[in-house]
Every structure is written in C-alpha cells, then in structure tokens.
C-alpha cells in the first residue's frame, strides 16, 4: 500500500497541504475576537492622561484602568481549559465575546473612575478567555501538521495590537471621545458573535471530572497578586516596598501551593503532566524569556519617542508602524516553514533579527536618525514575526487533541505573567537610571526627566541624559533576548509528527 493510499484510508491530512477554506473561515472568525482582546490591552494607555483630567483623579489611581484589566485577564485564564472541555470551545468563545461586549458597553458609560475600573475588570474576564479559546479552536481545526500556519494567522493581532492600539486610541481621544475606545468594540464584537455562531464547528462535550475549585482559588489569586506586586514596582520605587514584596510573596506561595496540589489531585485545574512533554517544556521556557524581553521592549519604544523625541501619542504610535509591517511580511512565511522544517529552524533566525534590531536601540541617542530607528523597528518586527507564534506552534504540535485546551491555557498564563513581569522590570531599570542621572528618588525618575525635558533651559541636556538611560535599558532587553537562544536551541528542527488521535478528517462545519 502506498503512502498516499494509507493517508486516504486513515483520513490523515497530508503534511504539506494548504490551509483549506474551512480552516481559513474559522481563523477569520477567531481573529476578530482576538483583535478586540489584544487591542484593549494597549488602546487605553494613550487615554490615561485624558481620563485623569476627566475624572479629576491621580495618575496612580487611573493606572488601575489598565492594571485591573490585566489582572482580570490573567485570573480567568486558568478556568478556560476546563471550560473548553466541559462546554465546548465554540460555546466558551461566544460566551467570552458576550462578556467582553457587556464590559465594553458599560465601560463607555462609566460615571466615575471607580465604575470604570470595575467595568474594565468585566472586560478583562471576557478578554482572558478569548485568546486561549481561539488557540484551542484553531489548533483542533487544523491539526498539528498545520498548527504553525494557523498560529501565524492568530499571531497577527497579537503583534499588531501594541502598534494599532496607540494609533487608534490616540485618534479616538483626540477626534471623538474617550468613551469610543470602548464603544468601538461593540460592532466588532457583534460581527464576531454572529460569524462564530454561523461558522465555528460544534463540538461534543468531553467528559470532565469535578471542577478543581480549590486549584482555582489558589492559582487565579496567586497570579493576580504576583502581577499586582510586580506592576506596583515602578510606582513604589523598588521591590523593598511592602506594597510590592508582600503581594508578590503571597502570590508565589499560592502558585507553589497550586503546583503541589496539581501534582497530586485527580482532576487538577491545569494538568502539569503536560510539562513531561519535552517539546512543550522547552517551548514554555523559551516563551517565558521571550515574553519578558518582548513586552519590556514594547514598553520602552513608545516612551522613548514621547519623552526623548517629543512626539505626541498618535505620532509615536505611527512611528511604531514599521514594526507591525515587518511582522506581517514574515509571519505567514514563518508559520509555513515551522510546519515544514520545524520551529527551531525558524525561531533561531528570528531571535538573530530581534538582537539586530535591539542592538541599534542599545546605542540610541537624542538625535539618532529616524531612518535608522524605523529600519531597526522593521527588522525587529520581522524577528518577532519569526519567533513568537512558531514557539507557540512548537508547544502545541506534539500534543493530542484532548490536551490542546489545557496547553493553550498554560501558554497564555505564561505569556501574560512573563509579559507583565518584563514590563515592570524594564520600567524599574529605566526609572532607576533616570533617577540616578537627574538626582531624584527612583519613584520620581520619569517625572523629573519629563519636567527637565519640557523646561527650555534644561531641554538639551535633559534629552541627552534621558536618551542615555533608554540606551542602557535596551541593553538589558537585548541580554534577555540573547538568553532565549539557550532553550530555543532545543526546539524541534523537523516536521512535527501527527499524534494518533489526529488521524481523522478535518472537522465539518456545523451551527
């Protein structure tokens, strides 16, 4: 019997087949939801100053509009793996959209800062379920042999969110109203909800054990406390503050307790036995280091344009566009190559490109030519497009269909937590360097730099000192990316094998 006959008999998909119309339609639906969730992590940032004035509050308080969303996002992710198996990925995805839409509508109607923070938490609960549910749906639809290509599709909004968010948010705040940064989600969400009902394949509910409420009560608050403590480092001026180390310690203790329980429980919230899979573990470690470096750099780039080069929020967002363009050019190619030759052979060159892009910023000054900055951003985007989603696809490619939901949840927890830590670490490094150069306490570093830059008498000296601080901080980001090479060397360098339970025909459309 020939290989083709065996494939035909088993219903297996050829290793080099293209994404068929069914998978592309499913990908288009889930990307709509992913765009909403990813954009809302960045679109609010440029509106914080306007919201501070609108509600007559402090910047420390208004920051919770962003932090509350992030905490809710991380807290709900552990629930999604069990919920996807118990109720089906389609039902979970649609429920997440509904919850996100409710949060968006009431956030746009907020009457004070407390109500806005509360409604952003509702948004975060829905947004936290959208991305892992999207990953689960796409992976099940395409199978392991094509997971790189569908992850590339899903990765576009993940990489473009930090680029498009500030641009969209700046335009809406300047030209319409801050309320429309939330209302804009309503038409997108309604379209996503209708197309999900029409297009996504229905699934039979998988048998699940009793829900691990004890695990949820340890992991979700543990993640929330850890991220809260880390996110408070810049405002507190260091890790020695009680508002930083106490919640971080409590979060670590709760997460450690969850790990002990998960290793012994019959039906844990997240099956840690997934980490016995060598490829999954290596990809998880690579993703951790990558997220720390990636989100840290994302925080630094717009701040450099705002503080050192004196750009507006909208202009800073537009200047970051080459990064998104670089990712768009490379990502589809990287996804296809990851399926054909293995993620390891794609991720390593991608990391080289990121190192090259960051190397320019590690030497940045107050008058570095814009052509050099924009060219470096394009190279940086190409590197990100070649790295992030192939790492994800490597983690999922060797798992069975039954493990995909829990694995997607685990990877999203890792990405969100590591990203928050990376952003905080880079903030602390930058604030410390600025404080040293301007002779103020760490907590006042950025404020002092901003005041000095705006003062015509000290402007020239201040921008030089600030640029030096950014360059030194980018060196640390460069070091973190370089560390990614160590686990990335162990990523698979050949076409992923097809698990036994994938020897079935692609799912049929149903609604």
């Amino acid at each position: 019997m020939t290989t083709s006959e065996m494939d035909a008999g088993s219903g297996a998909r050829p290793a080099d087949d293209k994404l068929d119309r069914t998978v592309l339609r499913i990908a288009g639906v889930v990307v709509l939801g992913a765009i909403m969730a990813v954009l809302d992590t960045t679109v609010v940032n440029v509106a914080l100053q306007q919201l501070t004035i609108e509600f007559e509050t402090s910047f420390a308080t208004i920051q919770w509009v962003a932090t509350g969303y992030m905490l809710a996002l991380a807290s709900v992710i552990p629930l999604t793996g069990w919920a996807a198996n118990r109720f089906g990925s389609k039902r979970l995805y649609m429920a997440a959209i509904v919850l996100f839409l409710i949060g968006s509508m009431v956030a746009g109607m907020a009457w004070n800062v407390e109500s806005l923070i509360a409604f952003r938490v509702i948004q975060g609960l829905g947004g936290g379920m959208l991305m892992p549910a999207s990953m689960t749906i796409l992976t099940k639809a395409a199978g392991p042999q094509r997971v790189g290509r569908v992850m590339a599709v899903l990765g576009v909004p993940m990489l473009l969110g930090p680029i498009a968010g500030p641009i969209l948010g700046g335009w809406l705040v300047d030209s319409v109203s801050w309320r429309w940064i939330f209302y804009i989600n309503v038409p997108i969400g309604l379209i996503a909800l209708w197309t999900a009902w029409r297009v996504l394949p229905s699934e039979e509910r998988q048998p699940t054990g009793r829900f691990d409420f004890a695990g949820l009560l340890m992991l979700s608050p543990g993640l929330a406390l850890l991220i809260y403590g880390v996110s408070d480092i810049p405002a507190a001026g260091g890790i020695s503050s009680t508002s930083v180390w106490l919640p971080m310690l409590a979060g670590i203790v709760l997460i450690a307790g969850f790990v002990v329980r998960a290793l012994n429980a019959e039906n844990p919230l997240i099956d840690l036995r997934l980490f016995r899979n060598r490829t999954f573990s290596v990809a998880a470690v690579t993703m951790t280091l990558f997220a720390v470096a990636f989100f840290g750099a994302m925080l630094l780039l717009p701040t450099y344009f705002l503080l050192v080069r004196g750009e507006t929020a909208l202009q800073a967002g537009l200047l970051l566009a080459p990064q998104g363009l670089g990712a768009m050019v490379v990502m589809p190619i990287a996804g296809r190559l990851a399926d054909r030759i293995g993620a390891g052979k794609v991720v390593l060159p991608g990391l080289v490109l990121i190192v090259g892009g960051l190397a320019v910023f590690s030497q940045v000054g107050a008058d570095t030519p814009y052509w050099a900055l924009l060219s470096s951003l394009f190279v940086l985007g190409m590197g990100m497009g070649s790295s992030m989603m192939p790492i994800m696809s490597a983690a999922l490619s060797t798992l069975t269909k039954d493990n995909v939901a829990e694995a997607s949840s685990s990877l999203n927890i890792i990405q969100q937590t590591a990203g928050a830590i990376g952003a905080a670490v880079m903030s602390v490094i930058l604030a410390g360097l600025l404080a040293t150069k301007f002779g103020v306490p760490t907590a006042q570093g950025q404020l002092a730099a901003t005041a000095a830059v705006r003062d015509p008498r000290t402007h020239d000296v201040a921008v030089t000192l600030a640029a030096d601080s950014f360059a030194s901080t980018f060196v640390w980001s460069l070091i973190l990316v370089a560390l990614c090479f160590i686990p990335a060397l162990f990523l698979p360098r050949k076409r992923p094998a097809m698990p036994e339970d994938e020897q079935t025909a692609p799912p049929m459309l149903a609604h």
Side-chain angles (χ1 to χ4, degrees):
M1 182 179 291
T2 65
T3 302
S4 59
E5 288 172 337
M6 290 173 64
D7 288 342
S10 65
R13 290 179 288 272
D16 59 348
D17 61 341
K18 298 180 179 180
L19 294 180
D20 53 65
R21 184 180 177 186
T22 297
V23 176
L24 288 174
R25 291 179 67 188
I26 293 173
V29 172
V30 299
V31 162
L32 278 176
I35 285 174
M36 290 193 305
V38 174
L39 278 181
D40 254 57
T41 62
T42 57
V43 72
V44 173
N45 292 344
V46 297
L48 291 180
Q49 181 63 30
Q50 178 64 33
L51 292 172
T52 303
I53 298 171
E54 178 78 18
F55 294 119
E56 299 180 352
T57 187
S58 67
F59 190 77
T61 300
I62 209 67
Q63 271 286 91
W64 278 99
V65 174
T67 304
Y69 179 87
M70 182 173 62
L71 290 176
L73 199 79
S75 298
V76 77
I77 288 174
L79 177 64
T80 58
W82 177 86
N85 290 330
R86 177 65 177 83
F87 303 107
S89 301
K90 177 179 179 177
R91 294 184 183 91
L92 177 65
Y93 179 79
M94 294 179 68
I97 291 177
V98 170
L99 190 59
F100 190 87
L101 283 179
I102 293 172
S104 297
M105 288 187 289
V106 293
M109 296 184 288
W111 54 90
N112 57 31
V113 66
E114 291 81 11
S115 63
L116 180 58
I117 293 171
F119 297 149
R120 281 284 285 171
V121 169
I122 296 175
Q123 252 193 325
L125 294 176
M129 293 187 288
L130 277 173
M131 189 56 72
S134 300
M135 290 174 62
T136 300
I137 290 168
L138 276 178
T139 305
K140 287 182 177 180
Q145 299 285 18
R146 302 184 292 181
V147 71
R149 275 164 280 180
V150 295
M151 285 297 111
V153 173
L154 187 58
V156 171
M158 293 182 70
L159 284 176
L160 292 185
I163 313 302
I167 296 174
L168 178 62
W171 176 74
L172 288 172
V173 170
D174 290 343
S175 303
V176 190
S177 165
W178 66 265
R179 298 182 184 276
W180 276 93
I181 64 178
F182 303 112
Y183 290 148
I184 194 68
N185 292 321
V186 176
I188 300 174
L190 290 175
I191 294 172
L193 191 63
W194 182 80
T195 53
W197 174 71
R198 294 285 298 174
V199 173
L200 295 185
S202 296
E203 298 177 321
E204 293 186 6
R205 300 181 184 183
Q206 299 182 21
T208 55
R210 181 179 299 178
F211 181 66
D212 185 13
F213 280 106
L216 181 67
L217 292 176
M218 285 188 282
L219 184 57
S220 289
L223 290 171
L225 285 168
L226 177 62
I227 294 176
Y228 169 78
V230 171
S231 65
D232 197 47
I233 291 176
I239 199 171
S240 60
S241 173
T242 305
S243 65
V244 173
W245 69 260
L246 185 59
M248 283 181 63
L249 179 61
I252 292 171
V253 169
L254 285 171
I255 294 171
F258 168 79
V259 171
V260 173
R261 174 181 170 78
L263 292 173
N264 297 281
E266 184 178 351
N267 295 296
L269 186 67
I270 293 178
D271 189 357
L272 297 183
R273 289 173 296 183
L274 289 170
F275 289 91
R276 295 176 182 173
N277 183 308
R278 178 182 177 276
T279 300
F280 183 83
S281 296
V282 169
V285 173
T286 309
M287 175 55 68
T288 300
L289 294 173
F290 181 84
V292 170
F294 170 70
F295 287 103
M298 289 304 96
L299 177 74
L300 298 177
L301 290 170
T303 309
Y304 165 79
F305 286 118
L306 291 167
L307 181 61
V308 178
R309 308 307 286 258
E311 306 290 353
T312 66
L314 179 58
Q315 289 170 337
L318 290 170
L319 286 168
L320 293 173
Q323 187 180 21
L325 294 175
M328 289 182 65
V329 169
V330 171
M331 189 172 284
I333 302 171
R336 183 175 294 274
L337 288 175
D339 287 340
R340 289 186 173 181
I341 63 176
K345 294 180 179 178
V346 180
V347 173
L348 289 172
L351 293 177
V352 171
L353 290 173
I354 295 177
V355 168
L358 285 176
V360 173
F361 280 93
S362 68
Q363 305 298 317
V364 76
D367 55 358
T368 303
Y370 274 96
W371 67 262
L373 297 176
L374 298 181
S375 299
S376 299
L377 284 170
F378 185 78
V379 172
L380 197 59
M382 292 176 65
M384 292 173 184
S386 303
S387 303
M388 188 165 69
M389 297 318 288
I391 294 172
M392 288 276 196
S393 66
L396 299 176
S397 63
T398 60
L399 301 176
T400 63
K401 187 178 293 185
D402 294 340
N403 296 137
V404 167
E406 289 181 335
S408 298
S409 297
S410 299
L411 290 173
N412 276 273
I413 291 171
I414 290 169
Q415 185 186 75
Q416 290 293 332
T417 306
I421 291 172
V425 167
M426 290 300 116
S427 293
V428 171
I429 294 173
L430 178 61
L433 289 169
L434 289 172
T436 300
K437 291 184 180 297
F438 288 92
V440 296
T442 302
Q444 301 174 17
Q446 193 161 340
L447 293 174
T450 302
V453 167
R454 291 180 176 177
D455 189 338
R457 297 170 298 178
T458 57
H459 175 269
D460 292 343
V461 175
V463 293
T464 300
L465 293 175
D468 289 343
S469 299
F470 275 94
S472 299
T473 310
F474 276 116
V475 170
W476 285 100
S477 184
L478 186 62
I479 292 171
L480 289 172
V481 173
L483 288 176
C484 290
F485 280 99
I486 299 173
L489 288 170
F490 298 94
L491 289 172
R493 300 191 185 187
K494 60 182 180 179
R495 178 185 298 168
M498 183 176 288
E500 292 182 3
D501 78 331
E502 290 294 330
Q503 307 297 320
T504 56
M508 299 297 292
L509 289 180
H511 48 78

